[in-house]
Amino acid sequence: MTPEIHGLCPERFADVRSAFEDNFATGQELGARFSLVQGGELVVDLWAGFADRQRTKPFDERTLTPVFSTTKAVAALLIARLVDAGKLDYAQRVADVWPQFAQAGKQDITIEQVMSHQEGLSGFPDEIEPSLWFDWDAVCAKLAAMAPLWPPRSASGYHPITFGYLAGEIFRRVDGRTMGTALREDLAGPFDLDLWIGLPDAEHGRVADLQRPNGLPNFGEINAATKAAFLTPWSSPAGRGQAEWRRIEIPSANGHATAPALARLIGALANDGWLDGETILSPALIAEASRERIHGQDLVLPFVMSWGAGFMRNSAVKVWGPGEQTFGHSGWGGSCAFADPETGLAGAYVMNKQSTDLIGDARAKRLIEAAYAAL
């Protein structure tokens, strides 16, 4: 049975609502929400289903969902704001702000090379205790001392977890705050965005249960970079429990959000940086942050990728409509957020029934294609 659909959907986006209903009718969803922003205005916001696996708790307008790597789009925005403020430059060396990073031949690696997954630190090849991920300083020290797994600048290799520590430590050393604190103080609080990196205990009761996929994603040909990134027992945090996972800050992996919060924030990047009448990023910096840094076969993901400074570019993956200039990020299980500066359209999809798609979840693609058809 298709659950009751709630929210906002004007007649011109009727096919978006139909696609949303179909995702439930075909058994592909447990609970989900999809939001669209155009020209800074929330034009679609649909939600339905259940927030728990037992189907007793409705997925409602206050439900938070883990968005995993979609968090990277927020981290990329936070770094871009430092560049916009003149506190950081994409072309400068990481070692200029983080001297210890110069170890093991990494002295010339730049900020933009880290942000575009080129510096070769996709994961730890040698065994670590999985609970080490909960110790920020220890992880950053290991990354600073580590030798790249491939020649930097020769290729991208997606960093599922380490990206957050690298970008987050660069941010902390320049700004003085963690990314989670800056997000809360500068953006989420002032603009009433229900979006978190590091979730306070008081909010844990709103988080949807996840229904894990039955299988593993297709990683293509496995190499050392892929194995370190995804396929060792220590490639992701473990051993501390769900509450601690939600509580810590990992700007690559453990964001929690509602779809309209993500859509409104990323929507500013499709609207010349404007969010509720204020500029959060200049148009020039939006263009610079989303500009291609590398294009080619990724060493970790089984895709040809085009990377900006922390953003996936739609020109290679074509998962967020037809736009060549569209950019954003996807998250494990199916979540995504995207911005299209050409049309002013942006959107976000969150859900708690996870798929095995690494990029381009079929449910989200169906919704986004219907949205573009309505323009």
Side-chain angles (χ1 to χ4, degrees), residues 167-251:
E169 183 66 3
I170 290 166
F171 185 93
R172 186 186 69 82
R173 285 175 178 260
V174 173
D175 181 88
R177 298 173 293 172
T178 66
M179 279 188 162
T181 298
L183 173 64
R184 184 177 65 252
E185 293 179 351
D186 298 347
L187 296 169
F191 294 100
D192 192 26
L193 302 172
D194 203 355
L195 172 59
W196 311 80
I197 300 174
L199 190 66
D201 288 7
E203 310 294 339
H204 288 198
R206 297 197 287 132
V207 179
D209 293 344
L210 293 176
Q211 184 173 326
R212 308 282 188 183
N214 292 326
L216 289 174
N218 176 14
F219 291 109
E221 183 178 345
I222 305 301
N223 56 41
T226 308
K227 187 175 179 182
F230 282 114
L231 299 175
T232 69
W234 59 88
S235 61
S236 61
R240 291 287 184 87
Q242 189 174 73
E244 185 64 15
W245 160 257
R246 292 173 179 167
R247 192 178 297 129
I248 62 170
E249 297 182 20
I250 305 179

Side-chain angles (χ1 to χ4, degrees), residues 14 27 37 44 53 60 104 123 128 150 187 215 217 222 237 269 318 346 364 367:
V37 168
V44 171
R53 291 185 295 272
D60 62 27
I128 64 168
W150 65 88
L187 296 169
I222 305 301
L269 306 185
K318 280 293 189 295
L367 296 166

Side-chain angles (χ1 to χ4, degrees), residues 3 81 85 295 318 340 362 374:
R81 281 170 56 85
H295 183 120
K318 280 293 189 295
D340 179 357

Side-chain angles (χ1 to χ4, degrees), residues 102-185:
Q103 299 175 72
K106 303 194 302 299
Q107 63 275 4
D108 294 325
I109 288 171
T110 63
I111 304 293
E112 64 187 350
Q113 287 160 1
V114 166
M115 297 302 292
S116 53
H117 302 262
Q118 294 187 61
E119 88 300 328
L121 308 179
S122 61
F124 296 120
D126 298 325
E127 184 174 359
I128 64 168
E129 176 59 45
S131 62
L132 186 73
W133 292 102
F134 294 89
D135 185 336
W136 181 273
D137 290 339
V139 172
C140 290
K142 284 189 71 66
L143 289 169
M146 181 177 161
L149 294 174
W150 65 88
R153 300 175 293 278
S154 64
S156 69
Y158 181 59
H159 295 35
I161 306 295
T162 55
F163 176 91
Y165 293 86
L166 295 164
E169 183 66 3
I170 290 166
F171 185 93
R172 186 186 69 82
R173 285 175 178 260
V174 173
D175 181 88
R177 298 173 293 172
T178 66
M179 279 188 162
T181 298
L183 173 64
R184 184 177 65 252
E185 293 179 351

Side-chain angles (χ1 to χ4, degrees), residues 292-313:
E292 183 174 87
R293 295 329 198 270
I294 191 167
H295 183 120
Q297 178 61 53
D298 194 85
L299 295 180
V300 171
L301 297 175
F303 307 111
V304 171
M305 298 294 296
S306 173
W307 287 105
F311 295 107
M312 293 179 174
R313 289 168 40 85

Side-chain angles (χ1 to χ4, degrees), residues 273-335:
W274 285 92
L275 178 59
D276 294 353
E278 295 187 34
T279 302
I280 66 166
L281 200 62
S282 70
L285 224 296
I286 295 170
E288 177 63 12
S290 60
R291 176 177 63 82
E292 183 174 87
R293 295 329 198 270
I294 191 167
H295 183 120
Q297 178 61 53
D298 194 85
L299 295 180
V300 171
L301 297 175
F303 307 111
V304 171
M305 298 294 296
S306 173
W307 287 105
F311 295 107
M312 293 179 174
R313 289 168 40 85
N314 198 48
S315 58
V317 290
K318 280 293 189 295
V319 293
W320 304 306
E324 289 290 322
Q325 302 305 315
T326 302
F327 59 93
H329 219 287
S330 295
W332 179 52
S335 68

